[in-house]
Amino acid sequence: MGLDDQVQKMEMRKNYRNVWHTNLMSTIAADTPCNLLSLPLGPCVSYMLRKRALYNDMSRYVCCAGYLPCSGKCGESKCPELCLCTEVFCCFPNSVASTRFLLQDEFNIQTTQCDNCIIGFMFCLQQLACICSLVACITGNDEIGDLAQLLSCLSDLVYCTVCSCIQTQHKVEMDKRDGKFGPQPAMAVPPVQQMSRIDQPIPPYAGYAPQQAYGQPYGYPPPPQVQGYPPAAHPQPHAYPPPGYSR
């Protein structure tokens, strides 16, 4: 995927209508075991989630899900399991981000402002730690060096925590996709993503179907209606005074 295609994809994601089943702040409550497991075993969880995102069909695997220039050029078709294992251990951040983009593009999922703030804070903290390390290396100041080490430890802690929440968010979304939350009640309102599709300008009726017009025999289709206007129940009265009237 070229640079122009990546920019176009990023612009398209801004117009996605659906949202994640759970935001990053609620992932630990949504799936605590997965959140805790993703902290020490992040690459292993990333491997399982990518394979599951591909519906366990490794013939569809492409390095970094096709979002990087190296995608499709690493011999993935010959040994996809080994390539995925190498990706998650050597390029762990890219593996997590690629799985996220893969799910977003498949289900038209946007990233909420809260999630953007959390991910942006993680990146800014890493950049700040890097800048302090460079300043400490150039000046040789011990206080700046101690501050750089503190910021590095803090950025690593935030990075591991956010990556764990992101992977849990992916897992919960695929649980929803695979129907692991159970069937919905018969009279439940359709979910938001079904009522606000881009290719469906008018959402479907929720709950009860529209009633037939008064006086229409049962079993016959309702009379055609003009879009945007309710059906007329009674004939419109003539204007006053009636035509032809003169004093």
Side-chain angles (χ1 to χ4, degrees):
M1 180 179 291
L3 181 60
D4 295 337
D5 295 334
Q6 293 181 6
V7 174
Q8 185 179 3
K9 278 286 187 181
M10 293 176 63
E11 292 296 329
M12 289 177 59
R13 292 189 188 106
K14 296 180 181 179
N15 298 324
Y16 287 166
R17 303 289 185 88
N18 302 328
V19 295
W20 296 97
H21 186 74
T22 179
N23 55 29
L24 293 179
M25 297 291 292
S26 306
T27 52
I28 190 170
D31 197 329
T32 305
C34 180
N35 199 297
L36 298 179
L37 185 65
S38 300
L39 285 172
L41 301 175
C44 299
V45 174
S46 180
Y47 181 96
M48 292 185 295
L49 291 178
R50 174 67 65 77
K51 186 176 181 180
R52 186 178 171 188
L54 297 173
Y55 298 90
N56 295 321
D57 183 9
M58 291 301 292
S59 63
R60 302 173 53 191
Y61 170 74
V62 180
C63 180
C64 295
Y67 295 104
L68 292 182
C70 64
S71 302
K73 303 177 182 179
C74 303
E76 301 95 327
S77 58
K78 298 179 180 179
C79 191
E81 289 82 4
L82 178 60
C83 290
L84 178 57
C85 185
T86 304
E87 176 189 336
V88 298
F89 279 98
C90 298
C91 305
F92 174 68
N94 289 334
S95 69
V96 176
S98 299
T99 302
R100 185 176 187 84
F101 296 151
L102 188 65
L103 294 175
Q104 284 186 290
D105 293 339
E106 181 178 0
F107 302 113
N108 292 342
I109 300 175
Q110 62 175 323
T111 300
T112 62
Q113 294 183 356
C114 178
D115 291 356
N116 281 330
C117 289
I118 295 174
I119 297 174
F121 172 74
M122 176 186 69
F123 288 146
C124 290
L125 193 59
Q126 290 177 343
Q127 297 297 324
L128 182 60
C130 181
I131 292 173
C132 288
S133 298
L134 291 175
V135 173
C137 182
I138 294 174
T139 61
N141 192 317
D142 293 336
E143 294 181 355
I144 298 179
D146 294 339
L147 177 61
Q149 291 182 359
L150 178 63
L151 288 175
S152 296
C153 293
L154 182 60
S155 64
D156 291 341
L157 178 62
V158 172
Y159 171 78
C160 294
T161 304
V162 173
C163 280
S164 175
C165 293
I166 290 176
Q167 297 211 87
T168 306
Q169 189 180 51
H170 299 168
K171 194 257 184 185
V172 172
E173 192 67 29
M174 284 186 282
D175 287 345
K176 175 186 175 182
R177 178 196 71 181
D178 298 338
K180 292 192 175 183
F181 294 146
Q184 296 183 352
M187 296 302 296
V189 178
V192 176
Q193 58 266 27
Q194 294 183 9
M195 299 176 64
S196 59
R197 286 169 20 206
I198 298 177
D199 58 345
Q200 186 179 14
I202 303 177
Y205 289 96
Y208 297 97
Q211 300 295 327
Q212 295 182 349
Y214 179 78
Q216 182 74 13
Y218 182 79
Y220 286 83
Q225 300 178 9
V226 180
Q227 181 177 343
Y229 295 90
H234 302 283
Q236 297 294 332
H238 294 291
Y240 185 83
Y245 176 80
S246 60
R247 294 182 178 180

